[in-house]
Amino acid sequence: SGGTLLANDPHLGLTAPSIWYLARLELASGGVIGATIPGVPVVMTGRSATLGWGITSSYLDDQDLFIEKINPDNPEEYQTPAGFRPFVTRKSIIEIKDSTPITLTLRWTENGPVLPGSHYGLSTITPPGHVVSLAWTALSSKDTTMSAAIALMGAQTVRDGLELSEAYIAPSQNLTLADQSDIAMKTIGAMPRRNAEHQSQGRLPSPGWRYENRWQGRLPFSDNPHFIAPVGGILGNTNNKTIDRPFPKHVSYVWGDSQRIQRWQRLMQSRQVHTRDSFIEAQLDPVSATARTLLPLIGAELWFTGEAAPDGTAERQRQRALTLLASWNGEMNEHLPEPLIYAAWLRALQTRLIQDELGPLAAEFDHVEPLFIERAFRDVDGASVWCDVLQSAPVETCPDMARLALDDALVWIGEKYGPALESLRWGAAHQATHDHPVLGEVPVLRYFVNIRQSTSGGDNTLQRGRTSGQDPDPFQNVHSAAYRGVYDFADPDSSVFVTSTGQSGHFLSRHYDDLAQLWRRGEYIPMSLDENLARAAS
């Protein structure tokens, strides 16, 4: 239609009220509208009359831990490449109601602040006579992030936005920009300059007194990955890997899943013309590419096999579940039983694959790793060995594990939701948990301040609802797109947005959760810079 489109739905932990607050600001450069975070005077994702911007987490590797050696003759000093130097120290007094204040001594090394050994169990890996310090870009003494974010609201074009974003330090984001005719994506935030000889490449705590482990400032902004005006005219990011460069110019060793970007590519390439509504459709897409890939693998030897079994037996229940899944298209719809059967099956299967090898450590893997299961069932590089139970005499196969895991899942479902598989609803297990961070645990009051909603989607869908992974409700939706916005520069006043709760933080206000009802149904509200249109739509 002669314009550009930008859709953004950053995923964060769900809370009530939402972390996002909708706002329209009038600046000297013109109006801006979108999502703010209370206390931050910036539209973090939104648009002006001429430019739209969105953010996704870049997963940039911007933190390193250092093991620091304390001088055995003077505990106030630590070792550096140039010899022992004194810690920088400062006293901090913490006032405690009805109790004696506590005085802490805070310490810094040249690498960064010293962390207590109790944090993340650091004491278990710290040798005697040593401490751990943290290097992090967000601790820069010259942090111009807020200035950059404020300046971006006044940018008129994509090129302006790219130039202004150089001053952004932390936390790193993928910034997507669209003006009337151009689109671009740039990883913004300081990228640490590490030495090519770094002992652990930042993947493990490293000796802080060795020169090759220390940061040497930041890489030039031109080294930050960017994609400007791509051939084909489409850009997207779902926290997926964006670039593959060797250390030390790498971005990260850890990325989001690859299934969501594959589904996004399919939707973008399946039509010749895109509109605001097709971008909304992509934001709300509940189809799991993971389910479509894994179910044919793990059920390959189970579909429509075996003799008829009497009602009430485990075999009959398994046949009913497989019959439902065989005709399912992978849509994680809140009203269907198949997503719950599938999710419980995959969870039980991963547990069976890893618990004999990993022991207690298996509990740390509380979310399904789709690529691991796929590799095991395709026997990539001999990965099917995971299907054999080490402690048992027989050699179990992957189909054996799939059958046993399905029975495990059906027992769990029966105990929690009853044996009637056809009446199950994914939304009953996949409830969005908008919990109040302060009052959410207070008896009685929590029923007024916490918001619970049946939702579609899952861990690997574009309409993302990341599950908790924690018993007794492992499929609760705890991390989702608490803000959704679609900005259409062919007709800017047709742009739309919504948040997951409401505009009021007071639970007795009707605006505490009125937007939540729209959000759950996949609806939006108008997003206009025209005051008359805004008032007409209110």
Side-chain angles (χ1 to χ4, degrees):
S1 54
T4 57
L5 289 156
L6 174 59
N8 189 215
D9 57 334
H11 304 137
L12 291 169
L14 295 176
T15 59
S18 167
I19 191 173
W20 299 107
Y21 184 76
L22 303 179
R24 170 173 150 259
L25 309 177
E26 284 300 322
L27 311 178
S29 56
V32 294
I33 187 170
T36 68
I37 295 176
V40 181
V42 169
V43 171
M44 305 292 291
T45 168
R47 70 173 185 87
S48 64
T50 59
L51 181 69
W53 55 96
I55 51 174
T56 56
S57 178
S58 71
Y59 280 54
L60 175 68
D61 184 7
D62 57 5
Q63 294 183 350
D64 277 0
L65 291 177
F66 292 97
I67 304 292
E68 308 282 9
K69 184 185 295 184
I70 297 175
N71 185 347
D73 298 323
N74 182 357
E76 300 302 318
E77 294 182 340
Y78 67 99
Q79 188 173 353
T80 74
F84 288 107
R85 289 191 176 174
F87 289 100
V88 174
T89 61
R90 177 168 62 85
K91 299 288 186 182
S92 179
I93 300 175
I94 299 178
E95 302 282 352
I96 301 175
K97 182 181 179 183
D98 300 329
S99 185
T100 305
I102 294 176
T103 300
L104 301 178
T105 299
L106 308 180
R107 294 186 291 176
W108 283 263
T109 70
E110 292 176 345
N111 292 315
V114 174
L115 302 181
S118 57
H119 278 36
Y120 303 102
L122 288 173
S123 60
T124 62
I125 62 163
T126 308
H130 295 71
V131 292
V132 176
S133 67
L134 169 70
W136 183 17
T137 55
L139 301 174
S140 168
S141 60
K142 299 177 181 178
D143 191 341
T144 51
T145 298
M146 193 62 68
S147 301
I150 291 173
L152 179 62
M153 293 191 294
Q156 300 299 311
T157 66
V158 164
R159 301 286 172 172
D160 292 343
L162 291 173
E163 185 176 329
L164 292 168
S165 63
E166 182 173 0
Y168 192 97
I169 304 299
S172 176
Q173 301 287 316
N174 289 319
L175 175 68
T176 308
L177 297 166
D179 59 25
Q180 300 286 347
S181 56
D182 288 329
I183 62 173
M185 182 165 63
K186 175 83 174 180
T187 299
I188 60 174
M191 294 183 65
R193 185 193 294 273
R194 295 180 177 90
N195 192 310
E197 303 302 318
H198 193 298
Q199 286 182 293
S200 73
Q201 299 184 347
R203 303 173 88 166
L204 294 168
S206 308
W209 59 88
R210 298 189 61 136
Y211 174 81
E212 64 268 28
N213 295 335
R214 292 185 154 211
W215 289 2
Q216 313 297 320
R218 66 178 285 187
L219 291 169
F221 188 59
S222 58
D223 281 352
N224 286 37
H226 58 265
F227 309 89
I228 301 172
V231 175
I234 296 177
L235 274 173
N237 180 252
T238 61
N239 312 119
N240 56 287
K241 190 174 187 176
T242 55
I243 197 166
D244 193 9
R245 296 190 302 205
F247 179 87
K249 290 192 175 183
H250 76 308
V251 173
S252 179
Y253 292 113
V254 179
W255 301 89
D257 65 79
S258 55
Q259 290 80 29
R260 285 179 293 147
I261 198 67
Q262 291 170 357
R263 176 62 181 169
W264 174 84
Q265 286 176 310
R266 178 73 178 269
L267 293 180
M268 292 298 103
Q269 295 168 359
S270 63
R271 54 194 301 159
Q272 292 182 327
V273 175
H274 279 284
T275 65
R276 181 199 71 173
D277 290 343
S278 72
F279 270 38
I280 290 175
E281 178 187 331
Q283 277 191 340
L284 302 176
D285 182 74
V287 173
S288 171
T290 306
R292 290 186 171 188
T293 301
L294 292 183
L295 276 179
L297 277 176
I298 66 177
E301 297 188 20
L302 302 179
W303 305 121
F304 308 115
T305 60
E307 299 177 2
D311 201 16
T313 62
E315 291 82 357
R316 180 62 176 273
Q317 193 76 334
R318 188 194 314 142
Q319 289 170 358
R320 290 167 63 200
L322 288 166
T323 300
L324 287 170
L325 291 173
S327 56
W328 179 50
N329 69 350
E331 181 182 347
M332 304 291 285
N333 187 299
E334 61 178 302
H335 302 295
L336 297 178
E338 291 89 349
L340 180 53
I341 300 171
Y342 153 77
W345 187 6
L346 265 289
R347 188 167 189 260
L349 177 58
Q350 179 164 290
T351 299
R352 278 196 173 264
L353 293 184
I354 68 175
Q355 64 182 352
D356 58 313
E357 283 91 352
L358 301 186
L361 189 60
E364 297 295 319
F365 294 88
D366 53 12
H367 285 82
V368 169
E369 299 288 344
L371 297 182
F372 163 69
I373 292 178
E374 183 176 2
R375 287 172 67 87
F377 274 77
R378 293 193 189 277
D379 195 23
V380 177
D381 296 331
S384 63
V385 69
W386 286 89
C387 294
D388 180 37
V389 179
L390 297 177
Q391 286 86 351
S392 68
V395 177
E396 290 85 4
T397 65
C398 289
D400 292 336
M401 288 295 103
R403 184 184 69 257
L404 292 169
L406 180 55
D407 289 345
D408 292 342
L410 293 175
V411 168
W412 180 83
I413 288 173
E415 292 174 349
K416 194 166 182 67
Y417 299 101
L421 297 183
E422 291 79 6
S423 63
L424 295 173
R425 289 182 66 257
W426 171 236
H430 194 243
Q431 289 218 333
T433 57
H434 313 268
D435 287 355
H436 197 287
V438 178
L439 306 177
E441 296 295 328
V442 178
V444 180
L445 198 55
R446 67 172 184 252
Y447 295 107
F448 294 93
V449 298
N450 294 340
I451 302 170
R452 291 291 201 285
Q453 298 171 313
S454 166
T455 55
S456 298
D459 287 339
N460 305 121
T461 57
L462 289 176
Q463 182 182 353
R464 197 176 193 213
R466 182 166 171 81
T467 55
S468 73
Q470 303 295 317
D471 289 324
D473 299 301
F475 303 123
Q476 281 189 335
N477 178 0
V478 299
H479 192 276
S480 190
Y483 168 82
R484 298 183 186 124
V486 181
Y487 323 134
D488 182 356
F489 286 100
D491 180 12
D493 281 329
S494 71
S495 302
V496 292
F497 60 173
V498 73
T499 63
S500 56
T501 55
Q503 286 290 89
S504 173
H506 198 305
F507 68 91
L508 294 181
S509 167
R510 67 188 179 93
H511 297 302
Y512 181 70
D513 62 354
D514 54 351
L515 294 181
Q517 310 308 317
L518 303 178
W519 179 86
R520 193 199 76 78
R521 296 195 299 266
E523 298 176 12
Y524 298 73
I525 58 175
M527 182 189 190
S528 174
L529 285 170
D530 184 313
E531 187 170 347
N532 293 325
L533 280 176
R535 292 191 181 282
S538 69

